[in-house]
Amino acid sequence: MHRFKSHRLRSGIVFLGVGMFALAFGFAFRSAVYPRLSPASVTADPVTDPTPGTGAGSTSPSQATDPVKCKQLMKSFDDYPLVWLGEDFEGLPLTGCEHVTTAASSYGIPATDHFYIYYGTCRPGDNEHGSCLIPVQVSVEPACSTPIIEDAKKRHFAIRGTAASELYEGSIQIEAPLFKVLIGGSGGNSAGTAQAARAAEVIEGANALASQLTSSDRFSDGSKVKQGKKTSC
């Protein structure tokens, strides 16, 4: 009887451990693959809002929904290299950006650090969450961020001499030596992926750490970017 109870207890502990791992993996996977649900303020009149971000457990150390303020924010950012699509992309203007971080949890969910750059606008209330997806998003992370597992990558190819991966939801991820960039196109389909690939071809440096990176350079050329203040995650 006691052996049976002990076995059940061990099984319960193992099951709980597996559940915690699955939760941590699911959170990290969704944070990396799915474009961020944009707050309604991104579509409102231009303002600068340094208040915490909308995601649970997340903070926005800095946020700007005015293109001018956004460019100033990117220019002064020195944690890691930033890249962008310029002031507009395929008729979609730069509409905002924000730096969002989350702390690691005691359940094994890793810390995250993203700098989001938004192009185009949408109407809040387009879905059941009461918010909407910005048409094109560029999400930049430090090179030390948690890698996306291979099973999440649908297809591998090269863009500007650097390995790239097609993910779900019409997104493409590129891993450069000192940063990672995830580009989300309009719509979670092949058209969105094609748009993300076109965006990758014109990406260039957005802050002083990546000021030498132009759209004609290879992402793998480490001489075009500099190491920022953030060296570990």
Side-chain angles (χ1 to χ4, degrees):
M1 176 66 72
H2 290 292
R3 286 201 303 271
F4 176 70
K5 288 183 177 180
S6 176
H7 174 71
R8 291 185 62 184
L9 177 61
R10 289 197 301 271
S11 298
I13 292 173
V14 170
F15 180 78
L16 179 61
V18 171
M20 292 298 187
F21 175 80
L23 176 64
F25 165 74
F27 180 88
F29 173 76
R30 191 192 187 288
S31 295
V33 174
Y34 286 86
R36 176 177 168 82
L37 280 173
S38 59
S41 61
V42 172
T43 66
D45 292 335
V47 295
T48 299
D49 181 11
T51 57
T54 57
S58 68
T59 60
S60 287
S62 49
Q63 181 184 62
T65 54
D66 177 283
V68 174
K69 297 292 186 182
C70 180
K71 287 186 288 183
Q72 293 173 349
L73 179 60
M74 288 188 286
K75 185 176 180 180
S76 63
F77 188 79
D78 59 1
D79 283 4
Y80 46 87
L82 292 181
V83 293
W84 70 328
L85 304 176
E87 297 190 15
D88 64 83
F89 173 70
E90 296 189 347
L92 298 170
L94 173 69
T95 51
C97 58
E98 62 179 327
H99 179 211
V100 180
T101 62
T102 62
S105 78
S106 58
Y107 300 107
I109 298 175
T112 65
D113 186 333
H114 298 84
F115 197 106
Y116 296 98
I117 305 167
Y118 305 123
Y119 290 87
T121 58
C122 57
R123 294 192 310 271
D126 283 348
N127 59 32
E128 67 273 17
H129 300 292
S131 56
C132 54
L133 294 177
I134 292 295
V136 173
Q137 300 186 52
V138 176
S139 172
V140 189
E141 303 174 69
C144 60
S145 62
T146 303
I148 294 177
I149 63 168
E150 288 299 316
D151 288 348
K153 300 176 180 179
K154 296 173 61 179
R155 184 165 58 96
H156 298 274
F157 48 95
I159 293 180
R160 288 166 58 176
T162 305
S165 302
E166 177 188 0
L167 308 180
Y168 298 98
E169 298 295 311
S171 299
I172 287 177
Q173 188 196 47
I174 300 166
E175 297 189 21
L178 295 179
F179 66 90
K180 298 177 184 178
V181 58
L182 179 68
I183 308 167
S186 300
N189 49 36
S190 58
T193 300
Q195 185 178 44
R198 293 194 302 272
E201 295 290 351
V202 299
I203 272 185
E204 59 187 14
N207 63 349
L209 298 173
S211 61
Q212 297 185 48
L213 182 68
T214 69
S215 59
S216 60
D217 294 319
R218 291 171 175 260
F219 289 114
S220 57
D221 187 350
S223 67
K224 298 295 183 178
V225 294
K226 300 176 182 178
Q227 177 67 58
K229 293 191 305 183
K230 186 161 190 172
T231 58
S232 63
C233 296

